[in-house]
Amino acid sequence: MRQGKRRPAAAATAVAVAGVLAGCASATGAEDDGDRPLVGVAMPTTTSERWIADGENVQDQLLALGYDVDLEYAENDVPTQVAQLEDMIAAGADALVIGSIDGVALKDVLGEAAAADIPVIAYDRLIRESGDVDYYATFDNARVGVQQATTLLQGLGLLDEAGDRTDVTGPFAVELFAGSTDDNNATVFFDGAMGVLQPYLDSGVLTVPSGETGFEEVATDKWDPKNATARMDTLLPLYADRRLDGVLSPYDGISIAVLDAVKTIGYGTADQPLPVVTGQDAELASAKSIAAGEQYATVYKDTRQLAEVAVSMVRALLDGAEPETNDSRSYDNGVKVVPSFLLTPQVVTEQNYRQVLVAGRYYTAEELG
C-alpha cells in the first residue's frame, strides 16, 4: 500500500469511534499479506506533554491495527514540519495525520499530498486556506472557551456551580491571555470565552487594568509559557497597589507560568490568595496544582479519545469507507467546510479531579500527590 493512492469512499458507510480497534490488523488484512499501510503522523512539538501523548496515542493505536507509522515532531518550526511531510509523501504514505504548527503554512505541501492521492486528516488544529484537507478530528473548541470563561466567573463567585448568576457584584480585576495567532484554535477559544465575559466587562463587573483585551494584544506566541511569563512580568507593576483577582488562561503551561509569576510578588498566602486561573489540557503540573488548591480549573481533553477518532478516520479511508463525522458546518477553513468529528471537553476542578482524572485512569493518585 505504499503507492499513496486514496481509497474510494463508500458514501453510506461510517465507522463508529468506539469500535475503532475491534478486529485490529485482521480487519485490514495488513498482517495477512504483508502489505502494510504507512501512515505519516506529524505533530507540532515535544515541549508540551499533551502533544507527546497525542503522538504516542495515535501511533500506538495505528500500530495495533497493523499499520506502519512514521511519527515526527517539528518542535514548533514550520519549515521542519513541511520537510517532514514532504518526506512522508515521498515515502509513499497512504494517509497523513497532521497536528499543524501554523494553520496556513501547509497549503503547498498538502497540494503535493493531493497530487499523490493521499488523504489528510487535520488533528486538533484546523489547517486553513487549503482544499486538500479531507477531515478534521478535534474537540468542541468553542465550548472550551465558554468553559474557561465560565470557570473564571465561578471562581470569582459571580456564577454558582450550576452556572447561574449570584448576587456578587465585584468589580474584579482580571487579565486575559490567548494562544498563538498562527493556531486557528486559539481564536476559537478566545472568541468563545469573550462571548461569555464581554457583558461583565461592559458592565464594569470585570475590569482589565492593562487595557489589553484584543486577541492580538493578549496572544502568546507559539503557546510558549516563557512568552506568557514575559508578558505577565510586564503586567505585575499594575498590581502593586491593587489585587489581581483572576486570569483567563487558555492553556495549562501558560497557567503555571502565570501562577509562578504572581507568587514572586506575594500571592499564594493566607493574606494574599492566588488569583483564579483557568487552563486547558489537564497537564500533569496543572492537575497537581488543582489538587493542591492553586490553579482553579482546567479543561480536560482526553487525547486517547481524540486519537481514536483520528485512527478511525484513517482506518475508514484505507478500507474504502467514509469516516464518521458529527459536524459539517462549523469549520470553514477559507476554502472549504471541513467535515469534522467533535469530542466534548470536560471541566476539571479541585472538586472533581479524582473522579475525572484518577477514576478515568488518566493519572494515578500517586502521580497527583
Side-chain angles (χ1 to χ4, degrees):
M1 293 188 177
R2 299 299 167 78
Q3 72 272 25
K5 298 300 182 183
R6 189 172 313 200
R7 279 68 180 161
T13 305
V15 177
V17 174
V20 65
L21 296 182
C24 293
S26 61
T28 68
E31 291 187 355
D32 295 334
D33 60 12
D35 190 18
R36 297 165 63 91
L38 172 64
V39 181
V41 180
M43 292 291 168
T45 183
T46 59
T47 60
S48 168
E49 68 181 49
R50 74 137 297 186
W51 286 113
I52 297 173
D54 279 289
E56 292 177 348
N57 286 330
V58 172
Q59 176 179 249
D60 290 348
Q61 292 182 30
L62 288 169
L63 290 173
L65 288 170
Y67 301 160
D68 288 334
V69 181
D70 181 6
L71 171 61
E72 302 290 345
Y73 290 88
E75 304 307 343
N76 281 328
D77 183 71
V78 174
T80 297
Q81 186 165 64
V82 170
Q84 289 170 344
L85 290 168
E86 289 174 337
D87 289 344
M88 293 172 185
I89 294 167
D94 293 281
L96 297 174
V97 178
I98 304 172
S100 63
I101 297 167
D102 186 326
V104 299
L106 300 181
K107 181 176 181 179
D108 290 343
V109 71
L110 293 196
E112 296 176 26
D117 213 16
I118 303 171
V120 172
I121 297 166
Y123 185 92
D124 203 39
R125 291 179 173 180
L126 183 64
I127 300 172
R128 297 189 55 79
E129 307 304 328
S130 173
D132 300 317
V133 184
D134 295 276
Y135 293 93
Y136 183 31
T138 191
F139 286 83
D140 186 338
N141 294 314
R143 183 179 295 190
V144 170
V146 170
Q147 289 173 324
Q148 290 171 337
T150 300
T151 55
L152 177 62
L153 296 175
Q154 288 172 325
L156 294 172
L158 291 166
L159 297 179
D160 62 21
E161 290 184 2
D164 296 324
R165 189 71 167 87
T166 69
D167 57 2
V168 174
T169 58
F172 295 102
V174 301
E175 294 293 341
L176 310 176
F177 281 74
S180 189
T181 57
D182 55 10
D183 180 357
N184 184 75
N185 283 358
T187 304
V188 178
F189 298 146
F190 188 71
D191 288 348
M194 292 303 288
V196 174
L197 297 180
Q198 196 63 56
Y200 295 86
L201 293 166
D202 292 343
S203 67
V205 174
L206 296 182
T207 66
V208 182
S210 69
E212 297 174 352
T213 59
F215 176 72
E216 297 284 344
E217 293 177 295
V218 303
T220 306
D221 189 43
K222 304 302 181 189
W223 295 88
D224 192 333
K226 292 180 181 178
N227 294 328
T229 297
R231 178 167 175 255
M232 194 68 224
D233 285 345
T234 68
L235 300 178
L236 291 180
L238 296 171
Y239 297 94
D241 299 314
R242 74 179 92 187
R243 173 169 170 76
L244 174 62
D245 297 299
V247 176
L248 177 73
S249 169
Y251 157 59
D252 286 344
I254 293 173
S255 309
I256 295 298
V258 166
L259 289 167
D260 287 345
V262 298
K263 287 176 183 178
T264 66
I265 61 169
Y267 284 81
T269 66
D271 293 334
Q272 184 73 299
L274 289 166
V276 176
V277 179
T278 64
Q280 179 178 194
D281 288 338
E283 292 194 343
L284 181 58
S286 283
K288 294 173 70 173
S289 180
I290 289 170
E294 295 190 341
Q295 184 174 325
Y296 181 76
T298 189
V299 177
Y300 170 52
K301 296 159 65 176
D302 192 335
T303 57
R304 298 167 299 185
Q305 294 179 2
L306 186 58
E308 287 181 6
V309 170
V311 170
S312 75
M313 288 178 169
V314 170
R315 183 180 183 183
L317 289 164
L318 298 189
D319 285 350
E322 181 179 333
E324 180 181 1
T325 60
N326 60 10
D327 187 288
S328 59
R329 297 179 301 173
S330 301
Y331 287 95
D332 186 336
N333 76 351
V335 176
K336 62 185 286 189
V337 177
V338 183
S340 306
F341 194 103
L342 309 184
L343 289 164
T344 302
Q346 185 173 4
V347 170
V348 173
T349 65
E350 188 178 6
Q351 284 68 48
N352 72 348
Y353 77 89
R354 293 180 183 85
Q355 175 186 351
V356 176
L357 300 180
V358 178
R361 299 183 180 180
Y362 202 70
Y363 295 120
T364 66
E366 290 74 21
E367 285 177 308
L368 299 184

